[in-house]
Amino acid sequence: MYLTKDEERMLNGEMGYAAKKSMEILVALGEIYGAERLIKVGSVQVAGVSYHNLGDAGLEFLNELAEDGRVRVLTTLNPAGMDLEDWKRLGISDEFAEKQNMVIDAFRRMGIIVSCTCTPYFIGNLPRYREHIAWSESSAVTFANSVIGAMTNREGGPSALAAAFVGKTPCYGLHLEENRRPDVHVHVAARLNTTPDWGALGYCIGKKAPNSIPYITGVKDADVDDLKSFCASIVTYGAKPMFYIENLTPDAYRYQPPNESLTIEDADLKKAYEEINDGVGDIDFVCIGCPHCSIKEVARVAELLKGKHVAPTTEFWVATSRTVKQIADKRGYTTIIESAGGKFACDTCMAVAPLKGRFKTVATTSAKGCFYSRQNLMATRMGSLEECVQAAVTGKWS
Ligand code: F3S
């Protein structure tokens, strides 16, 4: 791989430990994937923030990098294992909080914005069309490639950090036009009425066309919450972090639907719900906000919860970024949700918080949330926002 003089100096250790380590990672990746050079990135989004996933070895690695590593481009973080301000209220232990704060402190010393959200595009890390970036959260990568039209591979935590320290990433994969071509035509004949229907659609496409880039037709309308849900689901269940929707996503006009095709019917969506759901009645945990809630979703939760109260047997989380919560504070949504017994879970999420063993059954709007909740040993129920709020209030799925 061709390296500039500056890049060679970094690789040789002339610009510090973190730069050297980063160049080693980027060069190794570039050589594996046949990149000819590094390209500049406009921003980085780093996953692998929860102490729950990092453990002490990860914390030690971050502390070593933080000695002299300083990011060169706008860099934001994925959710951590807890709400950084209100962790006690979410039932997080002191021991975990202490370690998680050490992780956050290391990132802060690197110059990273401690945003802790998987929807960085809602809070100021919004790439430009066709801009090269290095993001690692899979739903955000899919959103950036498909909905915004930026260009990123799905980075791992270390390779995203390396890109942040160097300001560059190896030019391969989805940074190259030839790898962004759609390879399967998906016609959607099913009716998409709610945001979780989009999650179910992502499930169907991920399962039926794994490792593909779909070109989707038959969809007439979608809002940003539908699309973020779809992005999270399609990539979780098997597709590449990239899709096109005819007349909806910015790059769809560049291509024709490929010859290989499949159709998604109502029956496919119904089957997806059956496979995602575990079919249980009592709900002790409800979580909205996978990916993190938009302000519109928070507003809808407040509207639905007004004058009601969360069941004593149930914990209700609204997972979102701190920035969106601050907007909710100003608009009065926070007061409504909290006085009804709901809890904001800022900076964290249902997948990366240490929840294993705490709850038996989760209700959520998110197909991706169901995938990770099963890993946390919970039974799952996916449904609309209205159904989830109802479950929070009654403690049951009706
Ligand atoms: Fe975001 Fe966590 Fe879901 S990172 S997409 S809320 S699993």
Side-chain angles (χ1 to χ4, degrees), residues 78-79 117-119 137-140 232 289-292 319 348-352 366 368-369 372:
N78 217 34
T117 182
C118 53
T119 53
E137 155 54 32
S138 64
S139 69
C290 172
H292 272 174
T348 188
C349 87
M350 61 199 294
V352 296
S366 171
K368 176 177 178 179
Y372 284 101

Short mmCIF file of all heavy atoms in Angstrom, two decimals, residues 78-79 117-119 137-140 232 289-292 319 348-352 366 368-369 372, ligand 1:
data_model
loop_
_atom_site.label_atom_id
_atom_site.label_comp_id
_atom_site.label_asym_id
_atom_site.label_seq_id
_atom_site.Cartn_x
_atom_site.Cartn_y
_atom_site.Cartn_z
N ASN A 78 -20.17 5.66 20.47
CA ASN A 78 -21.37 4.83 20.56
C ASN A 78 -21.82 4.76 22.03
O ASN A 78 -21.07 5.15 22.92
CB ASN A 78 -21.01 3.43 20.03
CG ASN A 78 -22.14 2.82 19.25
OD1 ASN A 78 -22.89 3.52 18.57
ND2 ASN A 78 -22.29 1.51 19.34
N PRO A 79 -23.01 4.21 22.30
CA PRO A 79 -23.45 4.12 23.69
C PRO A 79 -22.48 3.38 24.61
O PRO A 79 -21.82 2.43 24.20
CB PRO A 79 -24.78 3.36 23.58
CG PRO A 79 -25.29 3.74 22.24
CD PRO A 79 -24.08 3.82 21.36
N THR A 117 -23.83 7.94 21.58
CA THR A 117 -25.09 7.65 20.91
C THR A 117 -24.85 6.91 19.60
O THR A 117 -23.82 7.11 18.95
CB THR A 117 -25.90 8.93 20.64
OG1 THR A 117 -27.13 8.58 20.02
CG2 THR A 117 -25.15 9.92 19.75
N CYS A 118 -25.82 6.07 19.24
CA CYS A 118 -25.74 5.37 17.95
C CYS A 118 -26.47 6.15 16.86
O CYS A 118 -26.58 5.67 15.73
CB CYS A 118 -26.31 3.96 18.08
SG CYS A 118 -27.96 3.94 18.79
N THR A 119 -27.01 7.33 17.21
CA THR A 119 -27.59 8.19 16.18
C THR A 119 -26.82 9.52 16.15
O THR A 119 -27.40 10.58 16.42
CB THR A 119 -29.09 8.44 16.45
OG1 THR A 119 -29.24 8.93 17.79
CG2 THR A 119 -29.92 7.19 16.30
N GLU A 137 -20.56 1.84 14.43
CA GLU A 137 -21.86 1.29 14.85
C GLU A 137 -22.64 0.85 13.60
O GLU A 137 -22.88 1.65 12.69
CB GLU A 137 -22.62 2.34 15.66
CG GLU A 137 -24.12 2.23 15.68
CD GLU A 137 -24.66 0.88 16.13
OE1 GLU A 137 -24.03 0.21 16.96
OE2 GLU A 137 -25.73 0.50 15.60
N SER A 138 -23.06 -0.41 13.57
CA SER A 138 -23.59 -0.96 12.32
C SER A 138 -24.83 -0.24 11.81
O SER A 138 -24.98 0.00 10.61
CB SER A 138 -23.87 -2.46 12.48
OG SER A 138 -24.89 -2.66 13.44
N SER A 139 -25.74 0.15 12.72
CA SER A 139 -26.96 0.83 12.24
C SER A 139 -26.61 2.21 11.69
O SER A 139 -27.18 2.67 10.69
CB SER A 139 -27.99 0.95 13.37
OG SER A 139 -27.56 1.86 14.36
N ALA A 140 -25.67 2.88 12.35
CA ALA A 140 -25.27 4.21 11.91
C ALA A 140 -24.49 4.15 10.60
O ALA A 140 -24.64 5.01 9.73
CB ALA A 140 -24.44 4.89 12.99
N ALA A 232 -30.94 -0.57 11.34
CA ALA A 232 -30.46 -1.41 12.45
C ALA A 232 -30.78 -2.87 12.19
O ALA A 232 -29.96 -3.76 12.45
CB ALA A 232 -31.11 -0.94 13.75
N GLY A 289 -36.10 2.94 21.82
CA GLY A 289 -34.90 3.71 21.50
C GLY A 289 -33.72 2.86 21.08
O GLY A 289 -32.61 3.03 21.56
N CYS A 290 -33.98 1.93 20.15
CA CYS A 290 -32.91 1.14 19.54
C CYS A 290 -33.17 1.15 18.04
O CYS A 290 -34.06 0.44 17.60
CB CYS A 290 -32.89 -0.28 20.08
SG CYS A 290 -31.74 -1.38 19.21
N PRO A 291 -32.43 1.97 17.28
CA PRO A 291 -31.44 2.97 17.65
C PRO A 291 -32.05 4.10 18.52
O PRO A 291 -33.27 4.24 18.58
CB PRO A 291 -30.97 3.53 16.31
CG PRO A 291 -31.28 2.49 15.30
CD PRO A 291 -32.53 1.83 15.79
N HIS A 292 -31.17 4.87 19.13
CA HIS A 292 -31.58 5.93 20.05
C HIS A 292 -32.72 6.77 19.49
O HIS A 292 -32.74 7.13 18.31
CB HIS A 292 -30.38 6.84 20.35
CG HIS A 292 -29.55 6.36 21.50
ND1 HIS A 292 -28.37 6.95 21.87
CD2 HIS A 292 -29.77 5.35 22.39
CE1 HIS A 292 -27.88 6.33 22.94
NE2 HIS A 292 -28.71 5.34 23.26
N ALA A 319 -34.41 5.18 25.67
CA ALA A 319 -32.97 5.30 25.38
C ALA A 319 -32.75 6.35 24.30
O ALA A 319 -33.35 6.27 23.22
CB ALA A 319 -32.41 3.95 24.94
N THR A 348 -26.59 5.22 26.88
CA THR A 348 -26.49 3.76 26.95
C THR A 348 -27.61 3.12 26.14
O THR A 348 -28.38 3.82 25.49
CB THR A 348 -26.51 3.29 28.42
OG1 THR A 348 -26.22 1.89 28.45
CG2 THR A 348 -27.86 3.55 29.10
N CYS A 349 -27.71 1.79 26.18
CA CYS A 349 -28.78 1.14 25.44
C CYS A 349 -29.00 -0.27 25.99
O CYS A 349 -28.23 -0.78 26.79
CB CYS A 349 -28.48 1.11 23.95
SG CYS A 349 -27.50 -0.27 23.38
N MET A 350 -30.10 -0.87 25.51
CA MET A 350 -30.52 -2.17 26.00
C MET A 350 -29.54 -3.29 25.65
O MET A 350 -29.57 -4.36 26.24
CB MET A 350 -31.91 -2.51 25.44
CG MET A 350 -31.96 -2.59 23.93
SD MET A 350 -33.63 -2.44 23.26
CE MET A 350 -34.40 -3.91 23.87
N ALA A 351 -28.64 -3.05 24.69
CA ALA A 351 -27.70 -4.10 24.30
C ALA A 351 -26.40 -4.01 25.07
O ALA A 351 -25.79 -5.04 25.38
CB ALA A 351 -27.41 -4.02 22.80
N VAL A 352 -25.96 -2.80 25.38
CA VAL A 352 -24.61 -2.68 25.97
C VAL A 352 -24.62 -2.42 27.48
O VAL A 352 -23.58 -2.45 28.12
CB VAL A 352 -23.76 -1.60 25.24
CG1 VAL A 352 -23.51 -1.98 23.80
CG2 VAL A 352 -24.40 -0.22 25.34
N SER A 366 -37.99 -2.51 18.56
CA SER A 366 -36.79 -2.74 17.73
C SER A 366 -36.48 -4.21 17.46
O SER A 366 -36.28 -4.99 18.39
CB SER A 366 -35.59 -2.11 18.46
OG SER A 366 -34.39 -2.48 17.83
N LYS A 368 -33.68 -5.15 16.13
CA LYS A 368 -32.30 -5.32 16.59
C LYS A 368 -32.27 -5.48 18.11
O LYS A 368 -31.51 -6.29 18.65
CB LYS A 368 -31.44 -4.11 16.17
CG LYS A 368 -30.02 -4.19 16.69
CD LYS A 368 -29.14 -3.04 16.22
CE LYS A 368 -27.74 -3.17 16.82
NZ LYS A 368 -26.83 -2.10 16.38
N GLY A 369 -33.10 -4.70 18.79
CA GLY A 369 -33.18 -4.80 20.24
C GLY A 369 -33.56 -6.20 20.68
O GLY A 369 -33.05 -6.72 21.68
N TYR A 372 -30.46 -8.59 20.46
CA TYR A 372 -29.50 -8.47 21.56
C TYR A 372 -30.11 -8.83 22.91
O TYR A 372 -29.41 -9.30 23.81
CB TYR A 372 -28.86 -7.07 21.57
CG TYR A 372 -27.82 -6.97 20.47
CD1 TYR A 372 -28.10 -6.33 19.28
CD2 TYR A 372 -26.59 -7.59 20.62
CE1 TYR A 372 -27.17 -6.30 18.25
CE2 TYR A 372 -25.65 -7.56 19.60
CZ TYR A 372 -25.95 -6.91 18.41
OH TYR A 372 -25.02 -6.89 17.40
FE1 F3S B 1 -28.08 1.61 19.20
FE2 F3S B 1 -27.75 -0.10 21.13
FE3 F3S B 1 -29.64 -0.48 19.36
S1 F3S B 1 -26.16 0.84 19.97
S2 F3S B 1 -28.85 0.42 17.49
S3 F3S B 1 -29.54 1.21 20.82
S4 F3S B 1 -28.35 -2.06 20.20
#
